[in-house]
Amino acid sequence: MEALTLLHWTFDILLGLGLLWLGWRVLTSPDLFNAIVLFVAFGLLMALAWVRLDAPDIALAEAAIGAGLTGALLLAAFAKLRTVEKNHDIAGQLEKGKLENRSFQWWPATFLLVVAAGLGHTVLSLPHYATGLSAEVSANLKSSGVSNPVTAVLLNFRGYDTLLEMVVLLLALLGVWSISGSALPREAAPGPILDTLSRLLTPVLILVAAYLLWVGAHAPGGAFQAGAVLGAAGVLLLLSGWRLSSHLAGLPLRIILVAGPVAFVAMAVFTMLTGGQFLEYPRAEAGTLILFLETAATLSIGTTLAALFLGERPKNKREYP
Amino acid sequence: MNPSDYLSAALMIAGAVFFLAGTLGLLRFPDVYSRLHALTKADNVGLGLVVMGLAVQAESWAVVGKLLLIWLLVLLAGASVAHLIARGALERGIKLWRR
């Protein structure tokens, strides 16, 4: 077994060094496109690091959201940035050195040093073996309605975390929609390969999302991972030229976007009115309720991510000239 | 180690060799088309061998099915994306490498 431990150590050290190196390259790369590709590679290695730390739930989320969808969002932003650059000639000014300001800045550096020292002190003063709350979670797992402790924490014990995360996503979409114009639903014909690929993969992705949602009750998976896969299906469809029909771009789209948070809040209000606490589920139905909430959350998360990728607010029927 | 361990080790090492060859091709070949060719072909076979090596160790047929599904999905995605990149490069007027 000695050789195996050595192999694990070597792998972990290489992984850690690779992450540091990639992080440095992402921050210092002068070429934005390069930086985005490196960022995606960073996300994939990060997912591997989570696997090595025995956190498959976070690894799934990191690979799907951190590397996959964030990469797609960054590339979409990059494509838009290029048209902006063409109009304002930012690239030309950068080359001439007009916009460049590389002088050493003392205040940010001092601030960063203080934060780093504080973080280092905190990490060093942590107890060697963190007790955490895992014992309490496993003691109360029976009453949560699910058998995967991560889902139990995210959807039951600390349900408001998930609720607030969904609200943050929604706020991000509102921000994007309010600074970008509205897009006409123009469909473009994809090439035969992209067309076939999206036709083959979209049903598979929907199935995988449903599987992740279902399996989240007792194994790694859950609403965010399933939502990310659903969002990926949306991104693939948008890339191959599909646009939401203008009949659905108005109210129906918005209903799906808010379904997750609304379901959560409705549940919370209902349990409070019937004598419980905020987001305290009745024990007997907790499993069913969690599955229901997660389904609504998955639909909302997937739609929000795909809408973020599109960037512009899809025009609805009334807005047509 | 029992015989199945040796078999899966051999399969996975063979897979790693294919990955190594593909990566070498990606780094050393002269233009985008030949690089894509090296990368997708070698990686598809390499992943197939790794999946076979893992399938030998699998506890149930369901796991074998999942591994096979992963391989098929990567085949589909890899081949399509390679085609899309190559076509994009052609449309941008990147010339084929000639000796």
Side-chain angles (χ1 to χ4, degrees):
Chain A
M1 276 290 115
E2 195 64 15
L4 209 58
T5 338
L6 192 69
L7 202 65
H8 281 170
W9 269 99
T10 321
F11 184 78
D12 289 350
I13 289 169
L14 283 178
L15 192 60
L17 287 178
L19 275 169
L20 281 177
W21 182 72
L22 275 176
W24 176 252
R25 287 286 311 276
V26 169
L27 291 175
T28 55
S29 167
D31 184 42
L32 272 184
F33 182 75
N34 253 343
I36 295 171
V37 174
L38 287 167
F39 177 81
V40 172
F42 177 86
L44 289 176
L45 280 196
M46 197 68 212
L48 260 185
W50 286 119
V51 171
R52 291 291 301 145
L53 289 168
D54 266 339
D57 285 88
I58 310 180
L60 270 177
E62 175 66 40
I65 302 179
L69 273 166
T70 316
L73 286 179
L74 286 173
L75 281 176
F78 176 73
K80 285 200 178 127
L81 207 57
R82 267 204 311 202
T83 53
V84 173
E85 271 180 5
K86 244 183 236 159
N87 293 340
H88 297 280
D89 197 28
I90 296 174
Q93 284 179 337
L94 266 177
E95 263 172 35
K96 282 181 219 148
K98 274 187 192 165
L99 286 179
E100 208 167 18
N101 183 10
R102 290 255 168 153
S103 65
F104 190 76
Q105 300 191 333
W106 280 103
W107 281 113
T110 325
F111 175 71
L112 285 178
L113 270 180
V114 170
V115 170
L119 278 177
H121 176 74
T122 316
V123 168
L124 287 179
S125 59
L126 284 174
H128 268 292
Y129 293 100
T131 47
L133 290 169
S134 46
E136 236 166 293
V137 169
S138 23
N140 289 308
L141 198 56
K142 274 234 165 74
S143 67
S144 72
V146 289
S147 59
N148 177 14
V150 178
T151 305
V153 171
L154 285 181
L155 268 298
N156 194 335
F157 303 148
R158 287 180 63 93
Y160 52 89
D161 275 11
T162 305
L163 171 62
L164 290 179
E165 274 165 18
M166 280 193 291
V167 173
V168 166
L169 259 185
L170 209 55
L171 280 177
L173 183 65
L174 281 181
V176 168
W177 275 7
S178 46
I179 56 173
S180 65
S182 54
L184 281 168
R186 47 166 208 282
E187 299 215 329
I193 297 291
L194 195 54
D195 193 49
T196 316
L197 184 70
S198 64
R199 274 168 209 276
L200 272 173
L201 277 188
T202 309
V204 175
L205 285 171
I206 293 173
L207 191 66
V208 170
Y211 171 75
L212 280 172
L213 179 64
W214 178 255
V215 86
H218 54 84
F224 261 87
Q225 289 89 337
V229 172
L230 213 55
V235 168
L236 184 65
L237 283 174
L238 289 172
L239 277 178
S240 46
W242 171 84
R243 291 293 177 272
L244 193 64
S245 143
S246 59
H247 297 281
L248 301 172
L251 194 61
L253 174 65
R254 284 159 180 76
I255 288 177
I256 292 182
L257 284 175
V258 298
V262 165
F264 253 90
V265 173
M267 190 67 63
V269 170
F270 181 74
T271 50
M272 276 170 90
L273 286 180
T274 50
Q277 297 248 320
F278 185 71
L279 281 175
E280 181 192 344
Y281 315 135
R283 291 200 175 179
E285 287 96 38
T288 323
L289 280 181
I290 286 177
L291 188 65
F292 169 71
L293 286 178
E294 281 203 299
T295 309
T298 303
L299 286 176
S300 291
I301 292 166
T303 319
T304 313
L305 289 171
L308 276 172
F309 178 77
L310 184 61
E312 291 135 348
R313 186 166 54 86
K315 248 186 186 177
N316 61 39
K317 220 169 81 184
R318 268 175 295 163
E319 286 176 294
Y320 271 109
Chain B
M1 276 175 55
N2 49 33
S4 71
D5 285 349
Y6 282 109
L7 180 61
S8 71
L11 282 168
M12 285 168 77
I13 290 170
V17 170
F18 271 94
F19 271 107
L20 193 69
T23 312
L24 212 63
L26 172 72
L27 294 173
R28 299 291 301 160
F29 276 177
D31 71 345
V32 59
Y33 309 104
S34 47
R35 284 179 189 174
L36 277 173
H37 157 92
L39 192 65
T40 44
K41 278 198 176 149
D43 281 8
N44 286 344
V45 180
L47 186 66
L49 286 169
V50 170
V51 160
M52 269 160 71
L54 289 172
V56 172
Q57 301 282 330
E59 283 159 12
S60 68
W61 283 102
V63 177
V64 177
K66 279 183 200 171
L67 284 168
L68 210 65
L69 201 63
I70 290 172
W71 184 52
L72 287 176
L73 282 173
V74 171
L75 277 187
L76 179 68
S80 313
V81 170
H83 179 91
L84 287 173
I85 294 176
R87 211 180 49 174
L90 264 184
E91 276 168 13
R92 283 187 178 198
I94 297 176
K95 292 247 167 25
L96 287 164
W97 174 77
R98 298 251 182 271
R99 194 189 290 277

